[in-house]
Amino acid sequence: SLNTAAQSICVANIENGSTEICLTAGATKTFSNSTASGAVVNWLSSGDGTFNNPSLANPTYTPGPQDITNGYVFIYLDVYNDDPFAPCSVLPVATILLSTLKVSPATQTICSGTQIGRITLSGIPSGITYNWTRNNTTSVTGIANSGTSSTDIRGTLTNNSTAPVTVTFTLTPISCAGTPILATVLVNPRPNAVRTPGSQTICSGATMTPITLTGGVSGTTYNWTTNNIGTITGIATSGSGDISGALTNTTVLPVTATFTITPTANSCVGTAVTATTLVNPTPNAVATPSSQTICSGATITAITLNGAVIGTTYNWTRDNTASVTGIAASGSGNIIGALTNTTTAPVTVTFIITPTANGCPGASITATVIVNPTPNAVATPSSQTICSGATITAITLNGAVIGTTYNWTR
């Protein structure tokens, strides 16, 4: 022991007056809040442990094998003064309780909104209890801010942020001085998914507006699937990331393709969202009859227009509007009316018909009407006088329309 100048007052205090100190078996105890003042300072042990320097006010004690077997050891702080003129002596004692204390699990990772693995303490010295507190009580909710070791730590933790948060449970012994034990829970946030646009309408065969997928949690992946596999083609049935491509409706009715998007981050699955694309079918047109021939001024056989897609409108235009009159240059629906050829040669009138349904145009078709001109006849001479039995001047017949035949009676 270390002899110092004689003092009339001896002061000795172990860890702020603690009488019990908790220590995990195999660990060392470094005193940090002890006071020792006197001529002689000497730390003593009832067991087989050792002090690194027993004359220090705050030495380090290493428990021996017998200490650990016993589960405890008495520690004495002997401070005294042998001076007969100013003697003093103090000998506080504290018990170091050695335990096989263990927290399980010491670390774990969960997804927000799920139950933690139950945190248990084992090897607690008899008569000793632990209080616990936790941090990040604002960003992570669901388990109380504090409790005691009389019950395990359990419950659900919800991460209210968009980043992983580590919740540290600090378990501190009460009724004995000891080093707190820590248990940590990494709470990963639940990712979200935002799809832009959420809905759209296209014509069959068109490229849709790319569906951009974003969210608040960094590193999120977005996996998606789609329905209506048999009626809509052009995009895979599943994929990851933004959704783009052309969609073809193989039916005659509007079909909605629904994309179900599931966000995942840090192995945590978020709530799925949907994006829809309404794919309108391509209309067709059938003209009946598709061709006919009439005489100038006659009424055409009505050209009936129909198709497979309900609600289709049929807009049409025609050519040769100068040489053939009688029906408008454009219109909608079935085509009817009389056509007059103002020339002396046959003229083919072509109607171009374009079907449209739900704002989507289909392939144009044609229907034709040949309008033959009305022939005329000119007789030369148109009148004459002869004597009976004489030969008439030949009456020559002609007209403006090539190929005209002239039949006559008298």
Side-chain angles (χ1 to χ4, degrees), residues 14-52:
I14 299 176
E15 295 293 85
N16 290 330
S18 298
T19 59
E20 289 184 324
I21 298 170
C22 290
L23 187 65
T24 302
T28 60
K29 170 59 180 178
T30 297
F31 294 88
S32 59
N33 294 300
S34 297
T35 303
S37 177
V40 178
V41 175
N42 190 29
W43 287 83
L44 302 170
S45 167
S46 67
D48 59 350
T50 58
F51 290 95
N52 66 328

Short mmCIF file of all heavy atoms in Angstrom, two decimals, residues 14-52:
data_model
loop_
_atom_site.label_atom_id
_atom_site.label_comp_id
_atom_site.label_asym_id
_atom_site.label_seq_id
_atom_site.Cartn_x
_atom_site.Cartn_y
_atom_site.Cartn_z
N ILE A 14 -17.20 3.98 -1.91
CA ILE A 14 -17.15 3.09 -3.08
C ILE A 14 -18.31 3.44 -4.02
O ILE A 14 -19.48 3.31 -3.65
CB ILE A 14 -17.24 1.61 -2.66
CG1 ILE A 14 -16.06 1.23 -1.76
CG2 ILE A 14 -17.27 0.71 -3.89
CD1 ILE A 14 -16.14 -0.19 -1.22
N GLU A 15 -17.94 3.92 -5.18
CA GLU A 15 -18.91 4.20 -6.25
C GLU A 15 -20.11 4.98 -5.71
O GLU A 15 -21.27 4.54 -5.80
CB GLU A 15 -19.38 2.91 -6.92
CG GLU A 15 -18.28 2.16 -7.66
CD GLU A 15 -17.76 2.90 -8.86
OE1 GLU A 15 -16.86 3.75 -8.67
OE2 GLU A 15 -18.25 2.65 -9.98
N ASN A 16 -19.82 6.13 -5.15
CA ASN A 16 -20.88 7.01 -4.64
C ASN A 16 -21.75 6.34 -3.58
O ASN A 16 -22.95 6.59 -3.50
CB ASN A 16 -21.75 7.55 -5.78
CG ASN A 16 -20.99 8.54 -6.65
OD1 ASN A 16 -20.10 9.24 -6.18
ND2 ASN A 16 -21.35 8.58 -7.93
N GLY A 17 -21.14 5.46 -2.81
CA GLY A 17 -21.87 4.83 -1.72
C GLY A 17 -22.62 3.57 -2.08
O GLY A 17 -23.47 3.11 -1.31
N SER A 18 -22.35 3.00 -3.25
CA SER A 18 -23.04 1.78 -3.64
C SER A 18 -22.65 0.63 -2.74
O SER A 18 -21.48 0.48 -2.36
CB SER A 18 -22.71 1.41 -5.09
OG SER A 18 -23.12 2.42 -5.98
N THR A 19 -23.60 -0.22 -2.38
CA THR A 19 -23.31 -1.41 -1.59
C THR A 19 -23.38 -2.68 -2.44
O THR A 19 -22.90 -3.73 -2.02
CB THR A 19 -24.31 -1.54 -0.44
OG1 THR A 19 -25.64 -1.60 -0.98
CG2 THR A 19 -24.18 -0.35 0.51
N GLU A 20 -23.98 -2.58 -3.63
CA GLU A 20 -24.00 -3.72 -4.55
C GLU A 20 -23.64 -3.23 -5.94
O GLU A 20 -24.11 -2.19 -6.40
CB GLU A 20 -25.38 -4.38 -4.57
CG GLU A 20 -25.71 -5.15 -3.30
CD GLU A 20 -27.03 -5.86 -3.41
OE1 GLU A 20 -27.96 -5.30 -4.04
OE2 GLU A 20 -27.14 -6.97 -2.87
N ILE A 21 -22.80 -4.00 -6.57
CA ILE A 21 -22.34 -3.67 -7.92
C ILE A 21 -22.60 -4.89 -8.80
O ILE A 21 -22.20 -6.01 -8.45
CB ILE A 21 -20.84 -3.31 -7.94
CG1 ILE A 21 -20.58 -2.08 -7.07
CG2 ILE A 21 -20.36 -3.09 -9.36
CD1 ILE A 21 -19.12 -1.79 -6.84
N CYS A 22 -23.29 -4.66 -9.92
CA CYS A 22 -23.58 -5.75 -10.85
C CYS A 22 -22.47 -5.82 -11.89
O CYS A 22 -22.07 -4.80 -12.47
CB CYS A 22 -24.92 -5.54 -11.53
SG CYS A 22 -26.32 -5.73 -10.40
N LEU A 23 -22.00 -7.03 -12.17
CA LEU A 23 -20.94 -7.21 -13.13
C LEU A 23 -21.16 -8.54 -13.84
O LEU A 23 -21.45 -9.56 -13.20
CB LEU A 23 -19.57 -7.21 -12.44
CG LEU A 23 -18.34 -7.24 -13.35
CD1 LEU A 23 -18.26 -5.94 -14.16
CD2 LEU A 23 -17.06 -7.43 -12.54
N THR A 24 -21.03 -8.52 -15.13
CA THR A 24 -21.17 -9.74 -15.90
C THR A 24 -19.93 -10.60 -15.74
O THR A 24 -18.80 -10.09 -15.81
CB THR A 24 -21.40 -9.43 -17.39
OG1 THR A 24 -22.55 -8.61 -17.51
CG2 THR A 24 -21.58 -10.70 -18.20
N ALA A 25 -20.15 -11.88 -15.51
CA ALA A 25 -19.01 -12.78 -15.34
C ALA A 25 -18.09 -12.72 -16.54
O ALA A 25 -18.54 -12.71 -17.69
CB ALA A 25 -19.51 -14.21 -15.13
N GLY A 26 -16.77 -12.62 -16.24
CA GLY A 26 -15.79 -12.51 -17.31
C GLY A 26 -15.39 -11.09 -17.60
O GLY A 26 -14.42 -10.85 -18.32
N ALA A 27 -16.14 -10.11 -17.07
CA ALA A 27 -15.81 -8.71 -17.28
C ALA A 27 -14.95 -8.20 -16.12
O ALA A 27 -14.82 -8.85 -15.08
CB ALA A 27 -17.07 -7.87 -17.41
N THR A 28 -14.34 -7.07 -16.29
CA THR A 28 -13.58 -6.41 -15.22
C THR A 28 -14.35 -5.18 -14.77
O THR A 28 -15.15 -4.62 -15.53
CB THR A 28 -12.18 -6.01 -15.70
OG1 THR A 28 -12.31 -5.11 -16.80
CG2 THR A 28 -11.37 -7.22 -16.13
N LYS A 29 -14.09 -4.77 -13.56
CA LYS A 29 -14.75 -3.60 -13.00
C LYS A 29 -13.72 -2.51 -12.79
O LYS A 29 -12.79 -2.66 -11.98
CB LYS A 29 -15.44 -3.94 -11.68
CG LYS A 29 -15.96 -2.72 -10.91
CD LYS A 29 -16.97 -1.92 -11.70
CE LYS A 29 -17.48 -0.72 -10.92
NZ LYS A 29 -18.43 0.09 -11.71
N THR A 30 -13.86 -1.43 -13.52
CA THR A 30 -13.02 -0.26 -13.31
C THR A 30 -13.84 0.76 -12.53
O THR A 30 -14.86 1.25 -13.01
CB THR A 30 -12.56 0.34 -14.64
OG1 THR A 30 -11.75 -0.62 -15.32
CG2 THR A 30 -11.73 1.60 -14.41
N PHE A 31 -13.39 1.04 -11.30
CA PHE A 31 -14.09 2.00 -10.46
C PHE A 31 -13.86 3.40 -11.01
O PHE A 31 -12.73 3.74 -11.43
CB PHE A 31 -13.61 1.89 -9.02
CG PHE A 31 -13.96 0.56 -8.39
CD1 PHE A 31 -13.12 -0.54 -8.51
CD2 PHE A 31 -15.16 0.42 -7.69
CE1 PHE A 31 -13.46 -1.76 -7.93
CE2 PHE A 31 -15.49 -0.79 -7.12
CZ PHE A 31 -14.65 -1.90 -7.24
N SER A 32 -14.91 4.21 -11.01
CA SER A 32 -14.78 5.56 -11.57
C SER A 32 -15.38 6.62 -10.67
O SER A 32 -15.10 7.81 -10.87
CB SER A 32 -15.47 5.61 -12.94
OG SER A 32 -16.84 5.27 -12.82
N ASN A 33 -16.17 6.23 -9.69
CA ASN A 33 -16.83 7.21 -8.82
C ASN A 33 -16.54 6.94 -7.34
O ASN A 33 -17.37 7.19 -6.47
CB ASN A 33 -18.33 7.21 -9.07
CG ASN A 33 -18.68 7.71 -10.46
OD1 ASN A 33 -18.37 8.85 -10.80
ND2 ASN A 33 -19.31 6.85 -11.24
N SER A 34 -15.37 6.41 -7.07
CA SER A 34 -14.97 6.14 -5.68
C SER A 34 -14.08 7.26 -5.15
O SER A 34 -13.38 7.94 -5.93
CB SER A 34 -14.24 4.80 -5.59
OG SER A 34 -15.09 3.73 -5.99
N THR A 35 -14.12 7.42 -3.83
CA THR A 35 -13.31 8.44 -3.17
C THR A 35 -12.45 7.76 -2.09
O THR A 35 -12.96 6.95 -1.31
CB THR A 35 -14.18 9.51 -2.52
OG1 THR A 35 -15.02 10.08 -3.53
CG2 THR A 35 -13.33 10.61 -1.90
N ALA A 36 -11.17 8.10 -2.07
CA ALA A 36 -10.27 7.52 -1.07
C ALA A 36 -9.26 8.59 -0.65
O ALA A 36 -8.46 9.05 -1.46
CB ALA A 36 -9.55 6.30 -1.63
N SER A 37 -9.32 8.98 0.62
CA SER A 37 -8.41 10.02 1.12
C SER A 37 -7.96 9.63 2.53
O SER A 37 -8.77 9.49 3.44
CB SER A 37 -9.11 11.37 1.13
OG SER A 37 -8.27 12.37 1.68
N GLY A 38 -6.64 9.42 2.69
CA GLY A 38 -6.08 9.05 3.98
C GLY A 38 -4.61 8.70 3.82
O GLY A 38 -4.08 8.66 2.69
N ALA A 39 -3.97 8.41 4.94
CA ALA A 39 -2.54 8.10 4.85
C ALA A 39 -2.31 6.82 4.09
O ALA A 39 -1.34 6.69 3.33
CB ALA A 39 -1.95 8.00 6.25
N VAL A 40 -3.18 5.86 4.30
CA VAL A 40 -3.04 4.58 3.62
C VAL A 40 -4.34 4.26 2.89
O VAL A 40 -5.43 4.38 3.45
CB VAL A 40 -2.71 3.45 4.62
CG1 VAL A 40 -2.61 2.11 3.90
CG2 VAL A 40 -1.42 3.74 5.37
N VAL A 41 -4.23 3.89 1.61
CA VAL A 41 -5.37 3.47 0.79
C VAL A 41 -5.08 2.06 0.33
O VAL A 41 -4.03 1.80 -0.29
CB VAL A 41 -5.57 4.40 -0.42
CG1 VAL A 41 -6.69 3.86 -1.32
CG2 VAL A 41 -5.88 5.82 0.02
N ASN A 42 -6.00 1.16 0.60
CA ASN A 42 -5.74 -0.23 0.21
C ASN A 42 -7.08 -0.92 -0.09
O ASN A 42 -7.96 -1.03 0.77
CB ASN A 42 -5.03 -0.98 1.33
CG ASN A 42 -4.53 -2.34 0.86
OD1 ASN A 42 -4.24 -2.52 -0.31
ND2 ASN A 42 -4.46 -3.29 1.77
N TRP A 43 -7.25 -1.36 -1.34
CA TRP A 43 -8.43 -2.12 -1.75
C TRP A 43 -8.21 -3.59 -1.45
O TRP A 43 -7.14 -4.15 -1.69
CB TRP A 43 -8.69 -1.94 -3.25
CG TRP A 43 -9.22 -0.59 -3.65
CD1 TRP A 43 -8.52 0.53 -3.86
CD2 TRP A 43 -10.59 -0.28 -3.88
NE1 TRP A 43 -9.33 1.57 -4.22
CE2 TRP A 43 -10.64 1.09 -4.24
CE3 TRP A 43 -11.79 -0.98 -3.80
CZ2 TRP A 43 -11.81 1.76 -4.53
CZ3 TRP A 43 -12.97 -0.33 -4.11
CH2 TRP A 43 -12.98 1.04 -4.46
N LEU A 44 -9.25 -4.23 -0.93
CA LEU A 44 -9.15 -5.62 -0.54
C LEU A 44 -10.30 -6.41 -1.16
O LEU A 44 -11.38 -5.87 -1.43
CB LEU A 44 -9.20 -5.76 0.99
CG LEU A 44 -8.13 -4.99 1.78
CD1 LEU A 44 -8.47 -5.01 3.26
CD2 LEU A 44 -6.75 -5.56 1.52
N SER A 45 -10.08 -7.70 -1.37
CA SER A 45 -11.11 -8.59 -1.93
C SER A 45 -11.24 -9.81 -1.04
O SER A 45 -10.24 -10.34 -0.53
CB SER A 45 -10.73 -9.02 -3.35
OG SER A 45 -11.54 -10.09 -3.79
N SER A 46 -12.48 -10.30 -0.90
CA SER A 46 -12.70 -11.53 -0.15
C SER A 46 -12.46 -12.77 -0.99
O SER A 46 -12.50 -13.89 -0.49
CB SER A 46 -14.13 -11.56 0.39
OG SER A 46 -15.06 -11.66 -0.69
N GLY A 47 -12.26 -12.53 -2.28
CA GLY A 47 -12.09 -13.67 -3.17
C GLY A 47 -10.69 -13.76 -3.73
O GLY A 47 -9.72 -13.28 -3.14
N ASP A 48 -10.61 -14.37 -4.93
CA ASP A 48 -9.29 -14.60 -5.54
C ASP A 48 -9.02 -13.66 -6.71
O ASP A 48 -8.12 -13.91 -7.50
CB ASP A 48 -9.18 -16.05 -5.99
CG ASP A 48 -10.25 -16.45 -6.99
OD1 ASP A 48 -11.20 -15.65 -7.19
OD2 ASP A 48 -10.16 -17.54 -7.58
N GLY A 49 -9.80 -12.57 -6.81
CA GLY A 49 -9.55 -11.60 -7.86
C GLY A 49 -8.39 -10.68 -7.51
O GLY A 49 -7.88 -10.69 -6.38
N THR A 50 -8.02 -9.83 -8.46
CA THR A 50 -6.86 -8.95 -8.25
C THR A 50 -7.20 -7.53 -8.69
O THR A 50 -8.02 -7.31 -9.59
CB THR A 50 -5.65 -9.43 -9.05
OG1 THR A 50 -6.00 -9.49 -10.45
CG2 THR A 50 -5.19 -10.82 -8.58
N PHE A 51 -6.53 -6.57 -7.99
CA PHE A 51 -6.59 -5.17 -8.38
C PHE A 51 -5.33 -4.84 -9.17
O PHE A 51 -4.24 -5.32 -8.84
CB PHE A 51 -6.67 -4.25 -7.15
CG PHE A 51 -7.98 -4.34 -6.42
CD1 PHE A 51 -8.14 -5.19 -5.32
CD2 PHE A 51 -9.06 -3.58 -6.83
CE1 PHE A 51 -9.34 -5.27 -4.65
CE2 PHE A 51 -10.27 -3.66 -6.15
CZ PHE A 51 -10.42 -4.50 -5.07
N ASN A 52 -5.48 -3.99 -10.18
CA ASN A 52 -4.27 -3.60 -10.91
C ASN A 52 -3.37 -2.72 -10.06
O ASN A 52 -2.14 -2.76 -10.20
CB ASN A 52 -4.66 -2.90 -12.22
CG ASN A 52 -5.35 -1.57 -12.00
OD1 ASN A 52 -6.06 -1.40 -11.00
ND2 ASN A 52 -5.16 -0.62 -12.91
#
